[in-house]
């Protein structure tokens, strides 16, 4: 199977590229390789590569910047997603698209089901929600939308690497404790994307690592494992703070834990892992890269 990944520089695209094999050849296309604003160009490029499936790992993910860069956020997160779905439909090949917990308001208080009403708080979430709508409207028969949250990897910029850097350079940290969700190691997400594509999973599903955390909990675990693995030299105080104490241009959902039961049913052989186990795996890999 020849899988075309839309995206090249991001965390998920990089993890997908690492899974290329004789069984599943994976080709990543960046913004200079394909024009996502033209369906005919997309179709021609996919045909040229003899694509047998597409995973869309590209997105406008600068949540705060999106509040003032509305057109570009909607262009990449909504219009481009719809165009990719149209191109895949024309070629009758399966399409997997990554969405986000930010499509939810965050006031439910229990894990969100794929069927729950969406009500995004900001431009980023609204643009991703419109992308979902376009895909479901254009190509429901062979498209799979996977919502995820709090993604990190050894590659690229993310919360884990930012925390390690700050913990090595700051005397203390304040980390938000009243936003609750589930961290997700991009390597596991990449495997789920390929499994969903090859098994022709349709509809909207959720994937994160198991377990629940606040950003504060996440930071505390990063420091503990960082000290154990020698990624950190010293322990510093980490203080819980509220969202109100750290205002940002974009509002974020206070609670965005995602219910993964529909995907677990669709992929019964896939092993879901706890976020702390996955974090340790990633940080061990990070340590190996630095050695």
């Amino acid at each position: 199977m020849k899988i075309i990944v839309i995206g090249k520089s991001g965390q998920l695209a990089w993890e997908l590229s690492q899974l290329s094999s004789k069984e599943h050849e994976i080709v990543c296309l960046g913004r200079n390789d394909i024009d996502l604003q033209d369906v005919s160009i997309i179709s021609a490029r996919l045909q040229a590569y003899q694509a047998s499936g597409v995973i869309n790992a590209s997105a406008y993910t600068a949540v705060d910047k999106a509040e003032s860069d509305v057109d570009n956020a909607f262009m990449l997160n909504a219009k481009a997603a719809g165009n990719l779905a149209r191109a895949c439909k024309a070629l009758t090949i399966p399409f997997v698209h990554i969405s986000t917990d930010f499509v939810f308001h965050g006031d439910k208080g229990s894990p969100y089901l794929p069927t729950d009403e969406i009500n995004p708080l900001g431009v980023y979430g609204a643009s991703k929600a419109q992308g979902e709508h376009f895909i479901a409207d254009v190509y429901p028969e062979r498209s799979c939308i996977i919502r995820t949250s709090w993604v990190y990897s050894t590659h690229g910029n993310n919360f884990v690497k930012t925390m390690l850097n700050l913990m090595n350079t700051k005397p203390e940290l304040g980390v938000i404790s009243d936003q609750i969700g589930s961290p997700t190691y991009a390597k596991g997400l990449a495997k789920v994307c390929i499994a969903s594509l090859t098994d022709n999973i349709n509809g909207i599903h959720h994937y994160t690592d198991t377990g629940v955390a606040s950003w504060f909990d996440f930071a505390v675990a990063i420091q503990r494992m960082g000290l154990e693995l020698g990624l950190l030299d010293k322990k510093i105080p980490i203080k819980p703070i509220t969202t109100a104490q750290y205002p940002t241009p974009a509002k974020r959902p206070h609670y965005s834990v995602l219910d993964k039961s529909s995907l677990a049913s669709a992929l019964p052989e896939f092993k879901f892992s706890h976020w702390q186990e996955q974090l340790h795996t990633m940080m061990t890999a990070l340590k190996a890269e630095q050695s």
Side-chain angles (χ1 to χ4, degrees), residues 67-266:
E67 293 297 308
S68 58
D69 194 18
V70 179
D71 290 347
N72 283 325
F74 273 87
M75 186 176 294
L76 188 55
N77 291 343
K79 183 182 178 183
N83 287 345
L84 284 164
R86 291 183 183 89
C88 288
K89 181 173 184 175
L91 299 173
T92 62
I93 58 175
F95 176 49
V96 171
H97 173 77
I98 303 304
S99 192
T100 174
D101 59 325
F102 274 63
V103 300
F104 294 115
H105 186 279
D107 58 354
K108 183 183 178 185
S110 60
Y112 280 97
L113 297 164
T115 52
D116 282 337
E117 181 182 0
I118 58 175
N119 183 19
L121 291 168
V123 171
Y124 168 67
S127 64
K128 294 294 286 185
Q130 189 171 100
E132 289 186 9
H133 174 75
F134 286 163
I135 294 165
D137 188 52
V138 167
Y139 198 31
E141 63 272 23
R142 295 198 74 184
S143 65
C144 177
I145 296 167
I146 301 175
R147 296 185 185 127
T148 190
S149 66
W150 299 22
V151 178
Y152 64 90
S153 165
T154 57
H155 176 83
N157 299 316
N158 53 67
F159 184 78
V160 178
K161 293 168 76 175
T162 297
M163 286 295 107
L164 287 170
N165 180 57
L166 292 174
M167 289 167 185
N168 269 324
T169 56
K170 300 289 185 181
E172 65 176 37
L173 285 178
V175 182
I176 289 173
S177 61
D178 60 354
Q179 292 176 21
I180 309 297
S182 299
T184 306
Y185 185 16
K187 186 180 290 293
L189 178 59
K191 292 176 181 177
V192 159
C193 287
I194 292 174
S196 299
L197 194 74
T198 56
D199 287 12
N200 285 298
I201 305 303
N202 295 337
I204 300 176
H205 300 278
H206 292 162
Y207 175 78
T208 66
D209 293 325
T210 61
V212 176
S214 67
W215 291 108
F216 171 77
D217 298 328
F218 198 8
V220 168
I222 291 165
Q223 178 169 249
R224 174 172 54 81
M225 294 180 195
L227 290 166
E228 289 172 2
L229 293 167
L231 288 164
L232 297 172
D233 297 325
K234 64 183 187 304
K235 184 176 182 179
I236 65 169
I238 305 174
K239 298 178 179 179
I241 62 172
T242 65
T243 299
Q245 290 175 276
Y246 188 76
T248 57
K251 291 183 179 179
R252 287 154 167 80
H254 279 288
Y255 181 96
S256 61
V257 178
L258 301 176
D259 185 294
K260 295 165 279 293
S261 55
S262 72
L263 192 63
S265 297

